[in-house]
Amino acid sequence: MTETVARRPVRVGLIALGCAKNLVDAEIMLGSLARAGMEITNDAALADVLIVNTCSFVESAQQESVDTILETAALRQARNLGQGLIVAGCLPQRFRDELPKLLPEVDAFMGIDQVADTSRIVREALARRAAKLHAEGHGPKSRVQSPKSKGQPPASEPPIPHSALRDPHSAAPLVEVDRRPAYIPDYATPRFRLTPRHFAYVKIAEGCNHPCSFCIIPRMRGSHRSRAQADVVAEAQRLLAEGVKELNLISQDTTYYGLDLRPDHTRAIASPERFSAAALGLPAGATTLCTLLRELNALRGEFWIRLLYTHPAHWTDDLIRTIAACPKVARYADIPLQHIHPAMLERMRRETSRDYIVDLLARIRAGIPGITLRTTFIVGFPGETEEYFQTLLEFIGDTRFERLGVFAYSHEAGTRSAAMANQVPERTKRRRRDLVMAAQRSVARTVAAACVGHTLRVLVERPAAAAELRNACVQSWEHGLVRASADHPGRLRGRFVQARSQADAPEIDGRLYVHGELPPGGFASVRVVGHTDYDLLAEPA
């Protein structure tokens, strides 16, 4: 080992792309590095190794991942030739065989099962990078000092094994990607949290058993596998002791939690009828989402439990009763429906009918008063006619979801829908997406207006930045603390903090701008005095 390495630990930077589930994987990677004594840095110029944790759910996410990898490699060429580059996550999981040929810049590819072994792969990537530079005739010191790195110790330069110098394949990228992932984190898995102190994501399961024709996730993430309930509760207790005020429960299908733990289980229970029968047939004391929620709700302290990524086919009356009976479970349900027309639901293989969905939403709203319903839809799916789309548009207007997102269908190789006839033109997809968002904007305005005058319990996030206040675009208000001017009508003026209510999941829903100063990371009561299209304006109650 060189004198440089002896003076300090290996420095690693990480770029996390994709969803909250990917973020937890990134936190586990960083936890592995910290446990191994490596240093984590936010400055790419100072990193000995950079990890890009990728997303590959839809084409736009793949493009973002590839662009990030190429940009990182270009910066390395300009500033730090000796820097190792690792690509992790869904992209190598999906394109295990193709990526090493398409991205020769990368030193190592790692899959989902390897996240807890990141420190070893970092060292391997460094060694391979050094061997590659040696084979190309570069000297042992190949770092170009950037302005930010002036005066900093140079990047680590691991010794090149003699075997590597003799073996022309030693500079080839490392590929460690299991074809069928089986990994699931547990309480003992170290994590380096990337979320603010007051909220955290808790992955309760991994993988998915659903046959949705548009989705590649089961092939990338494997079959559904639940964590033991005691293990999840232990992690929750640790997070609460660290000051967390909101536990966001996540997995590919949160409502399936525990059903794979039953004796002699089969995976063929995707439909509501089979799922309900399997749930009713469980032995006493069996683990389900309901037993988990009740145990988490019994933990001491003031905090929220938020349920994300639930599948409509797996909601039961017991789950509705459990949420209603647990005051710490947020009155919020994230239920991606994807479509409502029967023909589209069948082509998507969603296992639900229109009648079932309408009845389920009615039961949830009746059984959990005041609940916020969030959903997502896909427009432009193969075979979606103008008539089918209009049916969806009318359903959105009639149902009046408090929160709603929409995606234009993404043609994904390897899915059933990719081979379907009657693919919808891109221009039509974009038009339909815009029409859905325009319809939802009108609904959201009405929902926001109905909150004015009410007192809400909120979780304070942080002081609102000036740019956020400029973009808040307040169109209506009920209180004199907002002053319009001729130059900037509707601009928020003064000091505000940003907060969320139970109706708003972190990073995806709206927020409240509270006038005044409140300590971040805690709960507060506020009175709503105005609104924008999607956000609320409030003052301390």
Side-chain angles (χ1 to χ4, degrees), residues 188-478:
T189 304
R191 278 174 66 183
F192 184 99
R193 279 181 44 220
L194 297 171
T195 53
R197 184 173 183 268
H198 57 277
F199 78 84
Y201 295 105
V202 180
K203 186 183 284 191
I204 64 173
E206 180 62 274
C208 185
N209 293 344
H210 275 281
C212 302
S213 61
F214 54 82
C215 186
I216 200 74
I217 285 178
R219 287 182 56 185
M220 288 193 299
R221 292 272 174 175
S223 302
H224 182 100
R225 45 204 187 273
S226 301
R227 291 173 59 184
Q229 179 167 314
D231 195 72
V232 177
V233 173
E235 181 180 353
Q237 289 174 314
R238 180 176 63 193
L239 291 169
L240 295 175
E242 293 173 357
V244 166
K245 299 296 183 183
E246 181 180 43
L247 301 171
N248 293 277
L249 307 187
I250 60 171
S251 71
Q252 272 72 37
D253 177 6
T254 310
T255 33
Y256 197 96
Y257 175 76
L259 268 291
D260 59 310
L261 301 178
R262 69 192 192 281
D264 303 319
H265 79 280
T266 64
R267 291 181 287 168
I269 58 169
S271 70
E273 297 78 16
R274 290 181 176 178
F275 184 84
S276 294
L280 290 172
L282 290 172
T287 295
T288 65
L289 181 59
C290 296
T291 63
L292 176 63
L293 290 177
R294 288 195 289 267
E295 187 168 358
L296 291 175
N297 183 79
L299 296 178
R300 299 179 63 180
E302 184 182 18
F303 60 94
W304 289 339
I305 305 162
R306 188 179 300 276
L307 205 52
L308 298 172
Y309 307 109
T310 71
H311 194 290
H314 299 164
W315 274 76
T316 62
D317 288 337
D318 189 25
L319 179 57
I320 295 173
R321 288 191 296 268
T322 298
I323 295 174
C326 293
K328 293 177 182 176
V329 178
R331 272 35 185 173
Y332 178 98
D334 171 33
I335 316 176
L337 297 176
Q338 313 305 6
H339 216 284
I340 195 59
H341 194 280
M344 289 291 93
L345 292 170
E346 183 176 354
R347 286 173 70 83
M348 291 178 173
R349 302 187 71 182
R350 288 294 290 168
E351 305 287 341
T352 52
S353 66
R354 178 187 176 120
D355 289 344
Y356 170 84
I357 291 171
V358 171
D359 177 68
L360 172 64
L361 298 180
R363 286 189 289 122
I364 291 174
R365 281 181 162 161
I368 314 171
I371 193 167
T372 292
L373 293 180
R374 186 186 210 285
T375 193
T376 54
F377 291 110
I378 297 173
V379 295
F381 189 83
E384 185 188 52
T385 65
E386 196 63 31
E387 176 193 348
Y388 296 169
F389 172 69
Q390 289 299 323
T391 300
L392 173 62
L393 210 56
E394 292 168 7
F395 175 74
I396 291 170
D398 293 341
T399 309
R400 307 185 73 76
F401 293 95
E402 288 82 5
R403 305 286 184 265
L404 183 147
V406 60
F407 295 93
Y409 167 73
S410 179
H411 184 278
E412 296 301 318
T415 61
R416 290 175 178 268
S417 61
M420 288 181 176
N422 302 317
Q423 298 284 329
V424 177
E426 291 298 325
R427 183 176 179 180
T428 302
K429 294 180 193 176
R430 292 193 297 269
R431 177 181 63 81
R432 290 176 180 175
R433 180 193 60 199
D434 293 345
L435 287 172
V436 169
M437 289 313 300
Q440 180 59 23
R441 185 178 185 182
S442 176
V443 172
R445 245 190 235 126
T446 304
V447 170
C451 293
V452 174
H454 289 266
T455 298
L456 302 177
R457 192 72 171 160
V458 300
L459 181 56
V460 181
E461 301 264 44
R462 54 181 172 78
E468 293 171 323
L469 299 178
R470 284 195 298 272
N471 295 330
C473 189
V474 177
Q475 300 295 337
S476 61
W477 52 85
E478 308 292 335

Side-chain angles (χ1 to χ4, degrees), residues 441 464-477 482 489-493 496 498 511-513 531-537:
R441 185 178 185 182
E468 293 171 323
L469 299 178
R470 284 195 298 272
N471 295 330
C473 189
V474 177
Q475 300 295 337
S476 61
W477 52 85
V482 178
R491 173 178 289 187
L492 298 183
R493 312 178 80 80
F496 287 81
Q498 192 181 113
R511 61 203 63 116
L512 289 92
Y513 294 104
H531 68 93
T532 72
D533 289 337
Y534 298 102
D535 302 325
L536 300 178
L537 177 67

Side-chain angles (χ1 to χ4, degrees), residues 28-324:
I28 293 171
M29 291 182 209
L30 294 177
S32 167
L33 299 174
R35 180 173 59 181
M38 296 185 180
E39 182 180 327
I40 299 165
T41 178
N42 288 325
D43 190 341
L46 297 181
D48 303 322
V49 174
L50 272 176
I51 303 172
V52 181
N53 191 35
T54 60
C55 178
S56 185
F57 180 48
V58 293
E59 184 178 355
S60 59
Q62 292 175 41
Q63 190 60 55
E64 181 188 19
S65 295
V66 172
D67 288 346
T68 302
I69 294 165
L70 296 178
E71 289 168 7
T72 300
L75 288 172
R76 171 178 69 180
Q77 192 69 21
R79 301 188 300 194
N80 185 0
L81 279 177
Q83 186 178 73
L85 176 57
I86 298 174
V87 173
C90 292
L91 197 66
Q93 196 66 56
R94 182 173 178 181
F95 301 107
R96 176 185 185 275
D97 298 323
E98 297 88 343
L99 286 187
K101 303 169 188 174
L102 297 173
L103 295 170
E105 303 90 342
V106 177
D107 301 300
F109 296 93
M110 55 181 283
I112 293 162
D113 281 359
Q114 284 70 42
V115 293
D117 199 21
T118 305
S119 58
R120 177 185 59 80
I121 295 175
V122 161
R123 296 189 186 280
E124 182 74 22
L126 269 174
R128 289 180 182 244
R129 181 63 182 165
K132 184 173 185 179
L133 290 176
H134 186 275
E136 294 173 352
H138 292 279
K141 289 183 180 289
S142 49
R143 180 179 179 84
V144 178
Q145 291 281 335
S146 70
K148 283 188 177 181
S149 62
K150 294 291 187 183
Q152 297 287 338
S156 55
E157 297 154 4
I160 305 171
H162 292 295
S163 59
L165 298 181
R166 293 192 302 268
D167 181 4
H169 299 290
S170 63
L174 173 71
V175 180
E176 290 206 10
V177 182
D178 294 345
R179 293 190 181 276
R180 192 67 177 176
Y183 175 76
I184 184 72
D186 58 29
Y187 171 72
T189 304
R191 278 174 66 183
F192 184 99
R193 279 181 44 220
L194 297 171
T195 53
R197 184 173 183 268
H198 57 277
F199 78 84
Y201 295 105
V202 180
K203 186 183 284 191
I204 64 173
E206 180 62 274
C208 185
N209 293 344
H210 275 281
C212 302
S213 61
F214 54 82
C215 186
I216 200 74
I217 285 178
R219 287 182 56 185
M220 288 193 299
R221 292 272 174 175
S223 302
H224 182 100
R225 45 204 187 273
S226 301
R227 291 173 59 184
Q229 179 167 314
D231 195 72
V232 177
V233 173
E235 181 180 353
Q237 289 174 314
R238 180 176 63 193
L239 291 169
L240 295 175
E242 293 173 357
V244 166
K245 299 296 183 183
E246 181 180 43
L247 301 171
N248 293 277
L249 307 187
I250 60 171
S251 71
Q252 272 72 37
D253 177 6
T254 310
T255 33
Y256 197 96
Y257 175 76
L259 268 291
D260 59 310
L261 301 178
R262 69 192 192 281
D264 303 319
H265 79 280
T266 64
R267 291 181 287 168
I269 58 169
S271 70
E273 297 78 16
R274 290 181 176 178
F275 184 84
S276 294
L280 290 172
L282 290 172
T287 295
T288 65
L289 181 59
C290 296
T291 63
L292 176 63
L293 290 177
R294 288 195 289 267
E295 187 168 358
L296 291 175
N297 183 79
L299 296 178
R300 299 179 63 180
E302 184 182 18
F303 60 94
W304 289 339
I305 305 162
R306 188 179 300 276
L307 205 52
L308 298 172
Y309 307 109
T310 71
H311 194 290
H314 299 164
W315 274 76
T316 62
D317 288 337
D318 189 25
L319 179 57
I320 295 173
R321 288 191 296 268
T322 298
I323 295 174

